[in-house]
Amino acid sequence: MFKKAIVRTPGKSMVNGISTAGIGIPDHQLALRQHASYIEALKACGLEVTVLPADEAFPDSTFVEDVALLTKECAIITNPGADSRRGETAAMKKILQNFYTNIEEVHEPGRVEAGDIMMVGEHFYIGLSERTNQQGAAQIIGFLQKYGMSGSVVTLEEVLHLKTGIAYLEKNNLLACGEFLAKPEFQKFNILEIDNNESYAANCIWVNGTVIMPQGYPKARKTIANAGYPIIEVDVSEYKKLDGGISCLSLRF
Ligand code: CIR
């Protein structure tokens, strides 16, 4: 169960965020309203939400998930693969000192964005992507082992981050799309398949029994509902324009 979440309000500079989506420039005012709904969804799942102010110096800083990995035992500050995002970690480290006594940090040449890390109980799957390298993954695994947890690497080719294409929904259920459907390491899970034409909905979060998912993906919604989960849909269209999804917008712990 999660008790808390951290989010960061998107700044006006989000219009300069990294994007490959090719579906337009985000509307800041609409993004703010969507962010407020996202916070309400987290609260409805019982979380106490810390809302950090916008940081205009970092256009992608609303995607807080990438700059830290939070576990039961420790917080690990990452070292983002995107150079423009590396400076986001300093502020997050300060914030996390209010919540954690054990804080570790990924250092060069290791690069990690925690959108590439999926938690399944005490084990963490780490995607090797354009943002997360082998050295970074090895450092993460070392920190996890120090605190009695474990990690393993997963290769990925098609998506930005590991969790762009999969989401663990607890109870052995794994939401998966595209290249992840056939990965040998995931065959032990009950795979809930997301259609390629709704691939954006493979990025959902399980929060204390409820699944928070993006609005507008009826087939995915049906799949998740059929698996027995209550669902909260949130419109995150403005974040999709920056390649970001539901999980990227919060740290949950
Ligand atoms: C980026 O490219 O870094 C941001 N525009 C989107 C980050 C999305 N984060 C995530 O998937 N965890």
Side-chain angles (χ1 to χ4, degrees):
M1 298 290 273
F2 297 113
K3 293 199 171 100
K4 297 183 166 79
I6 297 173
V7 300
R8 186 181 288 287
T9 306
K12 290 192 186 79
S13 66
M14 77 182 296
V15 297
N16 299 317
I18 306 169
S19 173
T20 61
I23 51 174
I25 292 170
D27 173 334
H28 181 239
Q29 287 304 316
L30 179 54
L32 286 174
R33 293 197 292 278
Q34 293 178 345
H35 203 252
S37 304
Y38 181 81
I39 292 168
E40 285 315 306
L42 294 174
K43 287 183 177 167
C45 296
L47 301 190
E48 187 187 310
V49 184
T50 299
V51 183
L52 306 177
D55 186 345
E56 297 293 352
F58 297 103
D60 285 298
S61 56
T62 191
F63 300 113
V64 286
E65 173 180 66
D66 294 318
V67 296
L69 176 68
L70 303 187
T71 76
K72 285 205 178 86
E73 309 297 333
C74 65
I76 304 172
I77 307 295
T78 67
N79 185 25
D83 287 335
S84 65
R85 302 199 58 190
R86 290 189 65 205
E88 292 175 28
T89 55
M92 188 56 76
K93 187 177 172 185
K94 268 198 197 138
I95 301 296
L96 289 174
Q97 281 162 350
N98 299 321
F99 299 103
Y100 281 89
T101 47
N102 297 325
I103 299 185
E104 307 287 349
E105 243 172 299
V106 175
H107 292 290
E108 291 286 306
R111 294 289 185 110
V112 174
E113 293 186 5
D116 275 317
I117 307 182
M118 181 178 74
M119 177 176 81
V120 177
E122 307 274 285
H123 187 79
F124 293 75
Y125 291 92
I126 306 163
L128 297 179
S129 68
E130 280 183 15
R131 304 290 183 86
T132 296
N133 64 19
Q134 191 80 55
Q135 294 97 326
Q139 290 180 40
I140 294 280
I141 292 171
F143 296 137
L144 292 170
Q145 288 174 345
K146 175 174 166 187
Y147 295 97
M149 298 170 282
S150 59
S152 58
V153 299
V154 181
T155 54
L156 53 103
E157 279 111 43
E158 292 165 11
V159 291
L160 172 63
H161 287 124
L162 179 68
K163 284 187 289 187
T164 310
I166 47 173
Y168 186 60
L169 303 184
E170 305 294 325
K171 298 196 274 187
N172 207 46
N173 289 326
L174 183 74
L175 214 55
C177 187
E179 64 183 303
F180 299 108
L181 292 168
K183 291 260 183 218
E185 58 266 63
F186 296 141
Q187 298 311 308
K188 64 180 176 189
F189 298 114
N190 175 37
I191 293 182
L192 305 175
E193 182 172 347
I194 298 295
D195 246 38
N196 271 332
N197 63 7
E198 289 198 359
S199 62
Y200 184 68
N203 182 271
C204 292
I205 52 176
W206 175 96
V207 186
N208 301 339
T210 295
V211 173
I212 303 179
M213 68 173 291
Q215 188 179 301
Y217 299 89
K219 283 185 278 186
R221 189 195 160 98
K222 204 169 172 191
T223 301
I224 297 166
N226 285 346
Y229 296 97
I231 291 169
I232 301 178
E233 282 181 300
V234 182
D235 187 1
V236 283
S237 63
E238 302 317 288
Y239 301 91
K240 185 178 180 184
K241 292 174 180 171
L242 297 179
D243 305 333
I246 290 281
S247 76
C248 321
L249 290 170
S250 61
L251 285 163
R252 305 155 299 279
F253 59 111

